[in-house]
Amino acid sequence: MTANGAALGIDVGGTSIKVRLVADDGRVLEEQRVPTPREDPQATALAELVATLGQRARTVARRRGTELGAIGLVVPGVVDEDAGRSVLSVNLGWRDVPVRARVDDALRAAGVDAVPLAFGHDVRAGALAEVRAAGPGAAPGGPLATDIDTDTDTDTATATDTIAALGRGTVAFVPVGTGLASALVVDGRVVPGGGWAGEVGQVRIRDGAHAGLRVEEVASAGAVARRSGAPSAHDAMLRVLDGDPVARRAWDDCVDVLADTLAWLTAVAGCHTLIVGGGLAQSGPLLFDPLRAAVADRLAGVRLPELVGARHGDAAGAIGAVLLARQARAGSAQAGSARAASVRAGSVPDVAVTA
């Protein structure tokens, strides 16, 4: 292992938190998923949980012969990366919460303050992972998906070509999870929009059967589960396959509203590729076949985008958080300190993504 240490990526979702600890040589040392704290309007419980995860990551890293070198934390909603604040997160009940300061204080109290802390937006971090990272998601003990290190020259060339293609023009990353949001990547750089870009799930539907609802109240994994009366979107999917009419209606409504959203994204931004991720994307053809047809139906006379599943599945945010942590580590090394830092997703492409 090198002296830079391992990077801990933490992706906070509305339902669960995805965690990856990655060594500096690109090996995934550990990954886990823990429930997101509920009834936590000031992010106090989250801060304590991140401190606990940091302590564990340090222990695991030392067992593997290295140190914890940096932490990357990404959260949903409207995020002001520079100020380290959650401006608004509907699913977490946050409004103007100084998340980075809360977490920094908790890390200090837990004795994990000697590492840089990067803070960012979950969807923009996921977009970064998708356009900058090659290969399938890594398993514990395997190579980090962000590191191009394949077995054959053909695989390496394919991975490199994929990254090059996604680094040109406009790409939209749309994870369909507890809620719905998006991130635009233009010529390889993520568009932050002052923290407000991509909140497509908060748009209110004006007409039709869903009038008055926000887009994500119909077109999200959380909505599909809730409207199906199922405990999870996966269970709702199984009910659809079993012919349950309530689940089928919720699924079709989700596809319909999601197709409207993707069509507008494409028409306005000229996207050549739409990357759909999040938990619902794991359903494969059950989602993608009707969604492709619905998007095509809405874009008559407009260049049709390639609609693909996220290569990293619902791990994209955690992988992006690792990349932000690496950038924060590089920045703190240049500055000679381990201060908490904001790292915009759009700034990371200037850093090599090889370990």
Side-chain angles (χ1 to χ4, degrees):
M1 303 289 180
T2 67
N4 285 328
L8 177 65
I10 303 173
D11 173 22
V12 179
T15 303
S16 65
I17 298 174
K18 304 165 194 72
V19 186
R20 280 199 174 197
L21 178 65
V22 181
D24 193 54
D25 65 358
R27 309 294 289 183
V28 179
L29 303 181
E30 183 178 60
E31 60 181 341
Q32 60 178 311
R33 188 181 300 238
V34 297
T36 303
R38 310 307 301 174
E39 305 300 326
D40 186 29
Q42 294 301 314
T44 304
L46 174 71
E48 293 173 354
L49 177 56
V50 171
T52 299
L53 292 171
Q55 289 177 318
R56 175 176 175 79
R58 184 175 58 187
T59 298
V60 172
R62 287 174 176 173
R63 286 175 182 167
R64 300 297 293 272
T66 187
E67 291 288 339
L68 177 62
I71 298 173
L73 173 68
V74 297
V75 301
V78 180
V79 177
D80 184 338
E81 286 121 329
D82 291 336
R85 304 183 77 87
S86 168
V87 178
L88 176 66
S89 180
V90 174
N91 289 324
L92 295 180
W94 292 348
R95 184 180 292 274
D96 197 27
V97 177
V99 178
R100 187 177 63 203
R102 293 264 196 280
V103 172
D104 195 39
D105 288 344
L107 288 170
R108 185 177 299 108
V112 195
D113 57 326
V115 297
L117 170 66
F119 177 72
H121 184 257
D122 61 342
V123 178
R124 289 194 285 276
L128 175 68
E130 286 296 319
V131 301
R132 291 285 296 165
L144 173 65
T146 54
D147 298 317
I148 305 174
D149 186 12
T150 47
D151 293 333
T152 67
D153 290 341
T154 300
D155 289 339
T156 300
T158 300
T160 303
D161 289 345
T162 299
I163 288 178
L166 293 176
R168 295 190 296 268
T170 303
V171 176
F173 173 58
V174 186
V176 188
T178 303
L180 181 73
S182 67
L184 284 178
V185 183
V186 180
D187 293 332
R189 300 187 70 82
V190 181
V191 178
W196 290 91
E199 290 302 313
V200 295
Q202 304 310 313
V203 175
R204 195 169 299 282
I205 300 170
R206 299 288 299 172
D207 303 301
H210 310 300
L213 297 177
R214 289 176 292 114
V215 166
E216 69 175 24
E217 291 180 297
V218 181
S220 67
V224 168
R226 184 173 57 256
R227 299 180 73 239
S228 298
S232 69
H234 179 74
D235 290 303
M237 177 195 71
L238 296 178
R239 294 185 185 188
V240 171
L241 294 174
D242 286 340
D244 183 304
V246 175
R248 178 82 258 180
R249 184 163 53 254
W251 193 272
D252 290 345
D253 286 347
C254 173
V255 169
D256 188 55
V257 174
L258 182 57
D260 287 340
T261 302
L262 296 181
W264 276 110
L265 271 175
T266 301
V268 171
C271 303
H272 63 72
T273 303
L274 301 173
I275 303 172
V276 177
L280 210 64
Q282 305 305 307
S283 57
L286 185 65
L287 173 67
F288 283 95
D289 286 352
L291 185 59
R292 287 191 181 100
V295 169
D297 181 63
R298 287 158 172 77
L299 290 176
V302 177
R303 179 185 65 179
L304 291 181
E306 184 177 7
L307 201 160
V308 300
R311 288 173 295 156
H312 304 302
D314 65 357
I319 293 172
V322 167
L323 295 180
L324 296 183
R326 286 179 169 183
Q327 170 69 348
R329 183 183 63 198
S332 68
Q334 293 175 354
S337 68
R339 297 182 305 170
S342 64
V343 181
R344 290 188 180 276
S347 68
V348 179
D350 295 331
V351 177
V353 191
T354 54

